[in-house]
Amino acid sequence: MNKSMDGANLRKKIIDLLKKEGATSSDEELNRVVMNMLKILPPARSTKSARTSKMLDAIRGPFPFPPPRNPAFTFIDLFAGIGGFRLAFQKAGGRSVFCSEWDEYAQMTYKANYGEVPTGDIRAVDIDDIPDHDVLCAGFPCQPFSLAGVSKKNALGRATGFDDLTQGTLFFEIRKILQAKRPAAFFLENVKNLMSHDHGHTFQVISGVLQQELGYVIKAEVVDGKAWVPQHRERIFIVGFDPQQVDITAEEINIPHAPLAREHFRRRRLADVIQQNVDGHTLGPGTWASLERHKAHHEEAGNGFGYGIIRWPIAADEVTRTISARYYKDGAEILVEQPGQRPRRLTVQEAMQLQGYDPDYFVFPVTDCQAYKQIGNSVVWPAVHSCALEIARVLRERRRRG
């Protein structure tokens, strides 16, 4: 690529082509998307630095996060989103042999970062097409397990097993794969309220399936991502091992609540993440007025609901509220103070760091709206990575031979 096609000139040409094809986003939005697209192109060649370019290409590959060449174990990535589990388990020495994600925009981001497009709806996948694997990973949607029909079946003298209780839910797909493939371990993640969802019935069914029906040894704990990133984000981690393949008890399963000493992890402070003097993200007057009315209403009612705002100076130990998939709408969970004007939303680069993603490497080849949704639906991947390291250690040290 020669110099005349570099930088702003090249971006302008691509934006013009996108507009000809019907793109309706603003120039600012299109420019950001194109800049992210250009991050994943092979680097420009020059005779002067050909050797250096080849070395860099060999290190990073054609996309930011290539799989390890000599993996210690294999895993599958279900309900993959943008690949938080993929990144965590790859960096723990694993290689993904199958991934599934139905959202087309999340598939684009996954492809840009890992070099493959996930299979679509897991319910349409033949289990025989899923390779054998050591670890199953899934951040599955939380759904109620219906008891409809149970009384009728009991009256008819029919047994009501877990098969009936989970039928039609996405957890049922996990159950089927665990039953058919018998991986040595699994890692499941969900919202903290899974334990109390549907008066505790949902978690009762899940743990019953995993332990009593499938015979796995499991441990479930709520982990707060704030030990790894400056965001308060509580999620339930469920880790399980097949006792026929791994010599371990439930009490011996370790789910880290902070980075492991061997990681030498450096946690970023919120003040390191939030930028000053950011353009283009200030809330509109109508949005800001609506948020202020909403907060005043709840304060009058004695509730704690309302927007959250980061004020200057930012305290060394400050953490944000939990970012959600709805962040793109008004940014209410996490706003940034702008003295003398209305507050602003986080930039995509700031938001992604609250989940542990590095803006110098991780790519979002989608609009800001989609990027915010994907970030809010993702995981604090460094927290998952610490757990992945422990799972990898157990597989290495406690796997039964023969």
Side-chain angles (χ1 to χ4, degrees):
M1 190 181 296
N2 76 40
K3 265 188 174 179
S4 65
M5 288 289 285
D6 279 346
N9 190 31
L10 176 57
R11 293 199 300 274
K12 183 178 184 305
K13 287 180 180 291
I14 296 174
I15 289 170
D16 289 343
L17 286 172
L18 289 173
K19 287 182 174 179
K20 283 183 181 179
E21 293 298 319
T24 58
S25 299
S26 67
D27 284 357
E28 180 184 357
E29 182 88 334
L30 288 171
N31 184 61
R32 196 192 67 77
V33 171
V34 170
M35 286 179 72
N36 275 332
M37 289 169 58
L38 291 175
K39 284 184 185 179
I40 63 173
L41 290 176
R45 301 284 183 180
S46 73
T47 54
K48 187 176 180 180
S49 59
R51 184 178 179 186
T52 303
S53 294
K54 285 180 180 178
M55 289 173 64
L56 289 173
D57 285 353
I59 293 169
R60 76 175 191 175
F63 38 88
F65 304 103
R69 293 182 179 178
N70 299 301
F73 61 92
T74 59
F75 66 94
I76 65 171
D77 191 8
L78 306 180
F79 315 107
I82 59 175
F85 293 110
R86 170 82 175 243
L87 185 55
F89 277 81
Q90 268 193 187
K91 287 186 175 290
R95 184 184 185 97
S96 172
V97 293
F98 176 83
C99 52
S100 174
E101 169 56 48
W102 68 272
D103 182 84
E104 62 178 318
Y105 296 105
Q107 288 178 337
M108 290 170 61
T109 300
Y110 200 100
K111 169 69 163 60
N113 288 282
Y114 308 104
E116 67 177 292
V117 178
T119 300
D121 193 338
I122 189 63
R123 293 170 293 187
V125 176
D126 189 320
I127 286 185
D128 290 336
D129 293 332
I130 299 175
D132 291 338
H133 50 278
D134 297 308
V135 185
L136 178 149
C137 303
F140 64 101
C142 179
Q143 295 174 297
F145 297 122
S146 175
L147 289 174
V150 171
S151 297
K152 182 178 179 181
K153 288 187 178 184
N154 285 339
L156 294 172
R158 296 178 186 173
T160 306
F162 292 112
D163 206 349
D164 298 303
L165 292 175
T166 62
Q167 185 75 44
T169 69
L170 291 170
F171 178 75
F172 180 65
E173 303 303 321
I174 296 173
R175 172 194 168 277
K176 288 195 302 183
I177 297 169
L178 287 172
Q179 188 173 50
K181 296 296 178 178
R182 294 304 298 182
F186 62 76
F187 177 92
L188 308 180
E189 180 266 357
N190 212 296
V191 294
K192 173 187 175 182
N193 291 341
L194 177 68
M195 284 185 164
S196 58
H197 189 264
D198 194 18
H199 306 289
H201 175 67
T202 298
F203 189 74
Q204 181 183 1
V205 172
I206 288 173
S207 59
V209 168
L210 297 173
Q211 295 178 96
Q212 297 168 35
E213 182 190 355
L214 298 178
Y216 280 89
V217 173
I218 76 166
K219 178 176 276 190
E221 293 183 358
V222 174
V223 175
D224 194 336
K226 70 180 182 180
W228 290 265
V229 296
Q231 177 200 182
H232 173 62
R233 190 181 191 88
E234 292 182 304
R235 292 294 184 266
I236 183 170
F237 287 3
I238 308 173
V239 175
F241 292 95
D242 178 4
Q244 299 300 313
Q245 301 180 63
V246 182
D247 182 14
I248 195 168
T249 64
E251 293 73 26
E252 293 173 312
I253 297 173
N254 179 34
I255 298 178
H257 287 253
L260 301 170
R262 66 181 183 270
E263 292 183 73
H264 303 290
F265 184 83
R266 189 181 75 83
R267 179 185 178 276
R268 299 205 77 192
R269 300 177 307 160
L270 188 60
D272 299 326
V273 172
I274 303 303
Q275 304 168 3
Q276 297 195 45
N277 304 317
V278 171
D279 294 327
H281 290 73
T282 301
L283 295 186
T287 301
W288 177 230
S290 176
L291 289 179
E292 287 195 299
R293 286 196 303 272
H294 181 73
K295 185 166 188 172
H297 170 74
H298 282 290
E299 284 179 346
E300 190 174 316
N303 300 324
F305 301 113
Y307 60 83
I309 191 162
I310 300 168
R311 301 189 185 278
W312 304 96
I314 300 173
D317 60 347
E318 188 167 345
V319 297
T320 70
R321 293 185 181 182
T322 303
I323 192 168
S324 72
R326 68 170 298 284
Y327 187 79
Y328 73 96
K329 292 183 177 180
D330 54 26
E333 308 99 287
I334 311 165
L335 297 172
V336 181
E337 179 183 55
Q338 297 187 114
Q341 57 180 320
R342 296 181 299 276
R344 66 169 177 87
R345 292 179 176 85
L346 298 172
T347 65
V348 168
Q349 288 72 25
E350 291 168 331
M352 67 194 293
Q353 291 179 76
L354 296 182
Q355 298 282 46
Y357 295 100
D358 188 338
D360 288 337
Y361 295 95
F362 199 88
V363 179
F364 283 101
V366 292
T367 64
D368 280 2
C369 177
Q370 288 296 331
Y372 286 129
K373 286 183 183 179
Q374 292 171 8
I375 292 166
N377 276 327
S378 191
V379 294
V380 176
W381 80 261
V384 177
H385 178 244
S386 294
C387 203
L389 286 172
E390 279 296 280
I391 292 172
R393 180 187 62 79
V394 170
L395 293 179
R396 184 173 62 252
E397 297 177 0
R398 298 217 174 185
R399 199 153 192 173
R400 299 183 190 275
R401 308 299 176 188

